[in-house]
Amino acid sequence: MPLPPVTSPAVTLLIADDEEVTRSGLRMLLAAQPGITVVGEAADGVEAVERAQSLRPDVVLMDVRMPRRNGIEATRQLLAEAADPPKVVVITTFENDGYVTAALSAGASGFVLKRLPVRQIAEAVRVVAAGEAVLFPAALGRMVAARPLGSAQALPHAALTGREEEVLRLMATGLSNPEIAESLTVSLETVKTHVGNVLTKLGAQNRTHAVVITYESGLVVPGFTG
């Protein structure tokens, strides 16, 4: 008798947005997507932190412009205070929202646009839950160029090796670890080691923050494609 297929547990999600219609719509649509369970909602940044700490979701879909505490401060507090913090995906209306780069620097794992089809937002949630980043390199480059945040001075003193710098440039184009491994003709484990070294040397919370620092430093400029 064949064994039943092994299925991964659903990604648990908390949605934080101050607009009730948007929040309810996202909950209804994302709850219908395979592999996602919406465990709660929050109407502002304070509630987002409180509900994330009590519900312990895998991912928080975090709007940036919210009352009481914006998404940037909520992200920073949540990632600093939680023993096992969730991943944070920033959701915004505009690509050039200057708050997004600040949220990424605060530790968010990526961002999505509210106008994207729900299946793409759902995929972003699943990808981030699996430990990867969600980046739109062209949009990120434009945002950083428009509003540098001053964290770039860490890069010149990071003492990256030539290979680590190469991996960082490929990360900045939005490539995943397997894609970087294929591009450089090295093993996936080797890439993971390089990525870990890059994050440590840059003092970055995650690969997305490392990419923000990379753009801000000028190592990669808007429009870079590898």
Side-chain angles (χ1 to χ4, degrees):
M1 180 177 179
L3 295 173
V6 176
T7 57
S8 300
V11 174
T12 54
L13 176 68
L14 172 69
I15 300 171
D17 195 297
D18 63 322
E19 296 184 0
E20 184 177 359
V21 172
T22 299
R23 195 171 65 246
S24 298
L26 284 170
R27 178 169 194 153
M28 179 184 68
L29 293 170
L30 289 170
Q33 295 295 306
I36 293 178
T37 298
V38 180
V39 294
E41 301 176 16
D44 58 56
V46 172
E47 189 177 7
V49 172
E50 292 173 349
R51 301 224 70 194
Q53 290 174 337
S54 62
L55 296 172
R56 300 180 61 83
D58 298 316
V59 179
V60 176
L61 192 60
M62 183 86 76
D63 191 18
V64 288
R65 299 183 181 184
M66 294 187 291
R68 293 210 290 170
R69 184 173 299 141
N70 64 40
I72 301 166
E73 293 305 319
T75 296
R76 185 175 290 113
Q77 180 184 356
L78 184 57
L79 298 184
E81 293 182 358
D84 185 19
K87 307 292 185 182
V88 175
V89 177
V90 175
I91 185 164
T92 184
T93 304
F94 303 107
E95 288 182 0
N96 62 352
D97 189 337
Y99 289 116
V100 174
T101 48
L104 296 178
S105 291
S109 295
F111 73 95
V112 293
L113 304 175
K114 291 183 180 180
R115 68 171 183 266
L116 288 177
V118 67
R119 70 179 184 280
Q120 292 186 29
I121 298 176
E123 180 60 19
V125 168
R126 288 189 288 261
V127 166
V128 164
E132 289 287 351
V134 178
L135 295 171
F136 297 88
L140 180 59
R142 286 196 298 273
M143 288 189 295
V144 172
R147 184 177 176 174
L149 299 176
S151 60
Q153 56 263 40
L155 189 59
H157 308 292
L160 299 180
T161 66
R163 179 62 87 178
E164 288 166 355
E165 185 173 310
E166 193 173 9
V167 168
L168 180 55
R169 287 178 182 272
L170 293 174
M171 287 165 58
T173 70
L175 294 188
S176 65
N177 285 354
E179 290 169 334
I180 294 174
E182 182 178 358
S183 176
L184 298 179
T185 320
V186 297
S187 71
L188 180 58
E189 289 304 314
T190 296
V191 171
K192 289 180 178 179
T193 297
H194 288 317
V195 170
N197 290 341
V198 167
L199 298 187
T200 298
K201 290 182 178 181
L202 294 184
Q205 295 100 325
N206 53 41
R207 62 191 293 135
T208 312
H209 185 199
V211 171
V212 172
I213 294 173
T214 303
Y215 275 107
E216 291 175 345
S217 73
L219 178 65
V220 173
V221 297
F224 177 77
T225 59

